[in-house]
Amino acid sequence: MSAIKFNKLCIKTNTFTTILRNNKSEKNNISKWLDKKYDNVLILSSIPKDNNYIDDIKKFNNNDVKLMNLMKKTGVTNLLDYSFNTLSIGEKQLLQIIYALISNYDYIIIEDALSKISSLNKEYILKYLKYIKNKTIINITTNKEDIIYSNMTILVSDNIILNDKTMNIINDEKSFKIAGFKLPFMALLSLKLKYYNLIDKTITDMNKM
């Protein structure tokens, strides 16, 4: 994929954007391009190695009730009492994403940095990221299920880039398929129910179905 094609990636600031790619050979190329394009970027690692995450999180005074609740639900508050080197990769990834949220970085790039986190904790995190207002969060993934949590979605295939609000992308099933992707399960189920007039809008949250 060339830099010319990457130039079509339009990232709206202060939103949570998912870049869904179907070409595994492009892994890391997108994040490297974004790192060069934007200032003050933090790229999260799939294997975190920074031993200072725990100390930095402990020092942070936060009045964000939602973030504190996220830390409790995911077990991060309990992890602060342990040595970083004794934690599993998934636990280190949890500390890393919390550190990113309290950091001064404007752009946070996630690529495989949630891969070892439990599905429930990952859902908690992705739901929280959707409402971030003071940072631009970019999740680069091959997991189509991730897009239902983001505000904006960019589909990147070999020859096509589609960039729009997530709900617009989901409701355009034809373009989604042309780009070489299958719809997320909840989106597909919702569209089928709409077709039979069982619901009147696309719903991507099972709890609201």
Side-chain angles (χ1 to χ4, degrees), residues 76-91:
V76 168
T77 49
N78 296 328
L79 298 179
L80 299 179
D81 295 326
Y82 291 86
S83 168
F84 185 82
N85 291 328
T86 65
L87 301 177
S88 68
I89 294 178
E91 290 168 335

Side-chain angles (χ1 to χ4, degrees), residues 44-61:
L44 303 188
S45 171
S46 59
I47 305 179
K49 298 179 180 179
D50 191 338
N51 291 316
N52 294 322
Y53 287 148
I54 291 178
D55 289 338
D56 289 339
I57 294 172
K58 283 182 176 179
K59 293 175 184 175
F60 187 74
N61 294 320

Side-chain angles (χ1 to χ4, degrees), residues 159-174:
N159 301 306
I160 298 173
I161 288 184
L162 297 178
N163 188 347
D164 205 341
K165 292 181 179 179
T166 295
M167 292 310 298
N168 291 343
I169 290 281
I170 287 175
N171 285 316
D172 188 3
E173 185 179 4
K174 184 177 180 180

Side-chain angles (χ1 to χ4, degrees), residues 185-191 193-194 198-199 201-209:
F185 171 76
M186 281 302 302
L188 183 60
L189 174 61
S190 190
L191 290 177
L193 293 176
K194 280 176 64 179
L198 296 175
I199 57 176
K201 62 180 181 179
T202 302
I203 300 173
T204 56
D205 187 340
M206 179 67 80
N207 295 324
K208 297 180 180 179
M209 184 66 74

Side-chain angles (χ1 to χ4, degrees), residues 1 6 9 19 21 23-36 43-46 109-113 140-142:
M1 185 178 292
F6 282 150
L9 295 176
I19 299 179
R21 58 178 177 80
N23 187 346
K24 292 185 178 180
S25 66
E26 295 301 333
K27 184 177 180 179
N28 296 327
N29 288 353
I30 298 176
S31 57
K32 288 178 181 178
W33 183 85
L34 291 169
D35 191 21
K36 291 179 181 178
I43 300 178
L44 303 188
S45 171
S46 59
I109 298 177
I110 304 169
E111 185 168 18
D112 297 329
I140 305 171
T141 181
T142 56

